[in-house]
Amino acid sequence: MDHPFFRHPSLLACGLLLPLCSAQAQTDEETGTIVVTATRTAQTVDDTLAPVTVLTRSDIERLRPTSVPDLLAGQPGIDVSSNGAFGKNTSISLRGTSAGQTLVLIDGIRAGSATSGTTALEYLPVDQIERIEIVRGPRASLYGADALGGVIQIFTRPGTGSGWQASVTGGSFGTWSGRAATRGEIGNTRYHLTVSGLASDGYDIQENGAPTSFGATTVEPDDDRYRNTALNFGVSHHLDNGVEFGAQALRAEGRTDYDGFPNRTDFVEQVISAHVGGELTETWYSRLTVGESRDETDNLANGSDFSTFDTRRQSASWQNDLSLPGEQLLTVGLDGWRDRVDSTTDFSEDRRDNWAVFAQDQIDLGRHQLILGLRRDDNEAFGTHTTGNATWGVALRENLRATASYGTAFKAPTFNDLYYPDEGFYAGNPDLDPETAQNMEVGLQYDLAQFTLNVNVFRNDIDDLIVFDAAKSTVSNIDQARIDGVESGLTYRSEEWRAHAALTALDTENRTTGAELPRRAELTGRIELDRIMGAYRLGTTLLAQDGRYDDAANTVSLAGYGRLDLRAEWLLMPQWALQVRIENVLDKDYQTAATYEQPGRAGYLTLSYRTP
């Protein structure tokens, strides 16, 4: 009985409540949600063969998280570690993979930094998001590099319907935020515009002078502030022949303070895109999308310029969906992107191109469904790479379906990995190969009346891990890793109740050293429970994790924790609502990255308005 599941009562509570939630369940509102990320084509959640979690706008308004990482934490397969709240550096691990091994899309456009290889989700304003689709398992056969653990796609607020929305929030740590949005239709033209802002005085995120493997932390006993302003705009037009074209843009900019040298970052996150698409024939739909994502950071030390890392990715995608005889949907297309780097650091290369061709066939055989995918990428930095995926689903009973899949994936070396100049303590390695992975999994999905149960068991073997070699002060392909895991999720919906529970169990191993992979908890559980009583809604969220190691050598450990949040909402009238939420009600002290404190008990009050 020494398994971590039994060492932490909060984790045990998550496990015990899973069957309790399974006695209830999910309505057509949830199972009828459309997802597009799993296959790059529209499907309902209950029809897709991939393990998928969808966080809708109603979920965001119900939970009112302060950030995107806070919304994602504890969802099936997701582990979040951060250097504190309010815009501090955050790492998202999907199915035990690293942050750089998860592909992030924003409105279909690849986002993230070409130098670090990660996406600063902590800078994305949650008020600008309509929904998030989380697809677990490799998707390189559709999207190419970096989708070892899966894909997280963020959709910004759309231009459907009409009217105004606004909200204002105030609370702990001198935190204020506001949002105003409008959207409408003029004939066949739709538009939307959302502006938002967030400011927080923050708190002192790091233990002052705490010992670490690198010495001691900086002594800066001050609050670490955060500012973020954002704009989201879009317009689209439908022609009478069914063709649609449009454009949209999201820009977030601000500053975040922290302890160390440097101790401030001014940032810009921006994604713009344009598209045109329509049915060329009754059986052929075609869509062309072009876009650009930017990740820009200016780092300052005590107010003086220290370093700049500006990266941009220009991309284009042409996708064609062909309905074939025999209940088949064939998807073929071309993808391409160009990465550019502009930095005060003198990289030996500051540009690289990637082009790819992909194909996927979805075959419906009655009780059986089959998906076959293949993709070939050609990258000027490391040559060509071919990935594939095969997924089979079978209806065992009317409400019970089993799935099995096998997929390969790879992670492209970043500009830091390949081209960072030799500065004595670190140098890039232009001879690196991509990390490669092979994933096998089986799953069950059970739908009955009002509930859905999902269980997935997987194994992901990753070869040629890129790791830092301290003896040579550079990075090399030297390690292998194996990640075994089980994910389970249950959701219940009725007119008065909503309950959701998720439990993820991981066994990670660096097969070269025998150590566990750092910052991956063995067990992660999340429970949400909401009760609707006329004009009132009461809710609670319990997030609990087992302990983990903070470093690759497994010498620094972090304790497990349980965090309880409470929320209440009052519908004052059809247009107005008042919500109060208390985070970390029990005021637990905990860290998800060594020496970086997570916030204690905090309270927030939100007043929101929308036109009827």
Side-chain angles (χ1 to χ4, degrees), residues 120-135:
L121 294 175
E122 63 272 19
Y123 296 155
L124 297 180
V126 71
D127 277 340
Q128 303 277 8
I129 295 173
E130 180 69 15
R131 76 180 193 277
I132 300 177
E133 296 180 6
I134 307 164
V135 183

Side-chain angles (χ1 to χ4, degrees), residues 190-408:
R190 298 181 299 182
Y191 65 89
H192 66 275
L193 172 65
T194 304
V195 294
S196 65
L198 186 152
S200 178
D201 294 336
Y203 60 99
D204 193 8
I205 63 170
Q206 195 169 28
E207 299 178 51
N208 292 287
T212 72
S213 56
F214 301 100
T217 62
T218 303
V219 177
E220 287 190 48
D222 59 346
D223 291 338
D224 297 299
R225 296 183 297 170
Y226 178 56
R227 302 289 187 269
N228 188 313
T229 57
L231 171 71
N232 174 31
F233 172 76
V235 61
S236 63
H237 182 77
H238 287 267
L239 300 178
D240 293 338
N241 61 4
V243 173
E244 180 194 76
F245 58 90
Q248 59 189 51
L250 170 67
R251 181 181 175 91
E253 62 179 47
R255 61 173 283 186
T256 184
D257 298 346
Y258 45 93
D259 297 338
F261 190 86
N263 53 11
R264 169 180 162 183
T265 293
D266 294 345
F267 63 86
V268 171
E269 294 292 322
Q270 178 176 291
V271 177
I272 59 175
S273 63
H275 68 272
V276 59
E279 292 185 355
L280 302 183
T281 70
E282 291 184 356
T283 59
W284 178 12
Y285 178 86
S286 185
R287 180 182 174 100
L288 176 65
T289 304
V290 296
E292 180 187 75
S293 64
R294 294 189 181 187
D295 180 283
E296 302 178 353
T297 58
D298 293 318
N299 304 300
L300 296 88
N302 299 324
S304 299
D305 292 340
F306 183 83
S307 63
T308 295
F309 293 90
D310 294 347
T311 70
R312 66 174 63 184
R313 175 174 292 137
Q314 298 164 328
S315 60
S317 178
W318 181 34
Q319 179 173 322
N320 299 272
D321 302 321
L322 305 169
S323 299
L324 302 180
E327 298 296 323
Q328 293 188 66
L329 179 61
L330 177 65
T331 298
V332 295
L334 300 172
D335 280 343
W337 62 85
R338 169 173 292 173
D339 288 331
R340 295 177 180 270
V341 175
D342 182 12
S343 174
T344 52
T345 298
D346 187 17
F347 287 86
S348 59
E349 298 284 346
D350 59 11
R351 192 187 83 175
R352 70 181 182 189
D353 296 339
N354 189 103
W355 293 97
V357 57
F358 63 91
Q360 174 186 257
D361 195 7
Q362 301 178 63
I363 308 170
D364 189 345
L365 302 173
R367 289 182 56 237
H368 300 266
Q369 291 82 42
L370 186 64
I371 300 177
L372 302 173
L374 192 66
R375 179 182 173 112
R376 187 168 181 83
D377 283 82
D378 185 359
N379 188 290
E380 66 175 308
F382 51 81
T384 59
H385 208 90
T386 302
T387 51
N389 180 276
T391 304
W392 167 65
V394 56
L396 303 177
R397 293 171 49 186
E398 181 180 357
N399 300 316
L400 179 64
R401 184 181 66 191
T403 58
S405 69
Y406 173 82
T408 61

Side-chain angles (χ1 to χ4, degrees), residues 106-123:
I106 299 178
D107 293 327
I109 304 299
R110 300 175 74 96
S113 167
T115 51
S116 69
T118 61
T119 304
L121 294 175
E122 63 272 19
Y123 296 155

